[in-house]
Amino acid sequence: MGVVNKENVTWSDALGRPLRDLRISVTDRCNFRCRYCMPAEVFGPDYPFLPREELLTFEEILRLVRLFVAGGVEKVRITGGEPLLRRDLPRLVEMVKGVEGIRDVALTTNASLLAGQARALKEAGLDRVNISLDALDPQVFARMNGHRSDVRRVLAGIEAAEAAGLQVKVNMVVQKGVNEDQILPMARYFREKGPILRFIEFMDVGNSNGWDLKQVVSKGEILETIHQEMPLEKIKPNYYGEVADRYRYQGSEREIGVIASVTDTFCSSCTRARLSADGRLFTCLFATEGTDLRGPMRGGAGDEELLNRMKAVWSRRRDRYSDERHTLTEDLPRKQKVEMSFIGG
């Protein structure tokens, strides 16, 4: 296999957006059945998850990461499904962190398995972890994850990650009629504990979550709920393309974020490519199809051939689904979008 050197070249898509971030799904399986992602009636015992031989190997992932770096990627996020279900994940972290040009490696997880792996992940080079937690109330949390876990396991995972020295952010998907009564308890708890809490508007990702605009608790509603008790002030983004709008509690350095892909979209600055567990390149979280990289790679394609294929996909990219959501014609929403569990959030 040849070596492709990064020549300070960043690919730009058809709308002028650079490639900076790569999200890698390492499995399409998850031990939760959250209704907004993998409802149990769809992802049941007979659901055809990917067989092991169809998953990218760690060596294949490493090869593709090196090629993505040649196009401008600097940050990698490992996702799933639930990535901690993938055996020997710290080894992959170490491999990716060792790639010249990669300055940040993160992980998105439900944290139910994190307490036992946090230290090894940190030692392997993991920088940050984003943890999904949609409620502190045990009953609400259990209903949301399909009764697959106790909230105490997730909180233990958060504590273990912090103790290991990882930067921790907590993500809460807010769904009207389901868990909006948890906004204030979550804000109070994490304001005291320290990890940055980010609220996420309920999105129409995939085809299985029964999304309805009426179930969206908007960014404005979330902020007003918190502001009435704990006044907030907006602060600047950390970097170009940051998806969360940042707010600080007045008189404090503690902050929250809101990811509002429904009511306050950020397509214009999206710098993220996504690699599915079976090696397909997706250019949007709401994409309908991806470009196969595993097939050519296993078929003997050289680095330059793969690099040209990847660059061509990114250069044609025009995705801006969230911007267009409210102007779509009646037939377009029925397109089969890729499931979030397949390419990560």
Side-chain angles (χ1 to χ4, degrees):
M1 180 180 72
V3 177
V4 177
N5 294 317
K6 185 174 181 180
E7 300 175 347
N8 298 318
V9 174
T10 298
W11 299 338
S12 291
D13 69 12
L15 301 180
R17 296 169 295 187
L19 174 63
R20 286 281 185 261
D21 306 86
L22 177 62
R23 301 196 169 184
I24 303 171
S25 174
V26 294
T27 180
D28 60 334
R29 299 171 186 265
C30 185
N31 54 342
F32 281 16
R33 288 296 179 268
C34 300
R35 296 211 54 79
Y36 58 79
C37 182
M38 296 181 70
E41 64 269 22
V42 176
F43 297 87
D46 298 324
Y47 186 83
F49 290 104
L50 291 170
R52 184 173 181 178
E53 62 270 17
E54 292 189 17
L55 300 177
L56 289 179
T57 66
F58 287 176
E59 289 72 23
E60 289 170 334
I61 291 172
L62 180 65
R63 182 181 178 190
L64 291 175
V65 168
R66 287 174 172 153
L67 297 179
F68 274 109
V69 167
V73 163
E74 299 173 343
K75 298 165 65 177
V76 169
R77 175 172 297 280
I78 298 171
T79 71
E82 171 46 51
L84 294 181
L85 292 175
R86 184 76 184 255
R87 187 177 301 174
D88 297 328
L89 194 66
R91 185 168 72 90
L92 176 63
V93 170
E94 184 175 20
M95 293 164 70
V96 171
K97 191 61 181 288
V99 174
E100 184 178 357
I102 294 297
R103 60 180 179 83
D104 183 85
V105 179
L107 175 75
T108 295
T109 174
N110 62 35
S112 63
L113 303 173
L114 185 57
Q117 300 191 47
R119 182 66 60 183
L121 289 164
K122 175 63 177 177
E123 291 174 352
L126 189 69
D127 297 292
R128 300 180 293 118
V129 60
N130 283 9
I131 294 171
S132 301
L133 178 61
D134 299 319
L136 286 172
D137 181 277
Q139 293 183 336
V140 176
F141 179 71
R143 285 198 303 270
M144 293 197 73
N145 69 50
H147 298 275
R148 299 299 181 99
S149 181
D150 188 288
V151 70
R152 290 173 296 183
R153 289 180 62 187
V154 178
L155 295 177
I158 293 172
E159 292 177 2
E162 289 195 293
L166 292 165
Q167 179 187 342
V168 178
K169 293 181 180 178
V170 176
N171 292 340
M172 175 187 178
V173 174
V174 186
Q175 192 173 353
K176 190 168 291 185
V178 179
N179 69 330
E180 75 266 43
D181 64 345
Q182 294 295 292
I183 293 173
L184 280 174
M186 289 279 287
R188 294 177 191 128
Y189 182 87
F190 286 105
R191 182 181 183 180
E192 177 68 25
K193 292 293 184 179
I196 295 173
L197 174 61
R198 305 193 304 179
F199 299 92
I200 302 176
E201 291 181 344
F202 178 41
M203 296 181 290
D204 53 332
V205 179
N207 317 285
S208 306
N209 67 5
W211 186 83
D212 188 328
L213 183 59
K214 296 177 183 178
Q215 294 179 302
V216 175
V217 181
S218 71
K219 168 186 169 182
E221 293 172 306
I222 293 168
L223 291 173
E224 180 61 24
T225 297
I226 299 170
H227 185 76
Q228 287 181 357
E229 178 178 317
M230 295 170 280
L232 299 165
E233 57 187 12
K234 189 167 185 178
I235 52 180
K236 295 179 180 180
N238 286 307
Y239 54 87
Y240 174 84
E242 186 172 22
V243 298
D245 287 327
R246 300 170 63 213
Y247 296 84
R248 180 169 52 214
Y249 295 108
Q250 291 181 13
S252 168
E253 292 303 312
R254 296 290 174 84
E255 67 177 83
I256 62 168
V258 183
I259 300 174
S261 72
V262 178
T263 67
D264 190 10
T265 62
F266 40 82
C267 296
S268 63
S269 60
C270 179
T271 61
R272 290 170 293 285
R274 289 175 166 84
L275 186 65
S276 66
D278 64 348
R280 282 186 280 167
L281 170 58
F282 289 84
T283 55
C284 180
L285 180 60
F286 304 94
T288 58
E289 60 184 19
T291 300
D292 181 28
L293 299 178
R294 186 195 66 192
M297 185 163 48
R298 292 185 179 178
D303 282 358
E304 290 296 337
E305 180 181 342
L306 288 170
L307 195 66
N308 289 336
R309 185 178 182 88
M310 294 154 59
K311 183 177 181 180
V313 170
W314 189 262
S315 66
R316 294 192 302 266
R317 176 185 187 241
R318 303 189 67 89
D319 304 275
R320 46 190 297 269
Y321 175 86
S322 291
D323 284 349
E324 299 170 336
R325 179 186 285 109
H326 299 299
T327 62
L328 294 175
T329 58
E330 287 297 318
D331 60 320
L332 286 177
R334 299 191 186 101
K335 285 186 176 181
Q336 292 294 300
K337 300 190 293 289
V338 63
E339 295 291 349
M340 183 164 62
S341 59
F342 193 71
I343 59 169

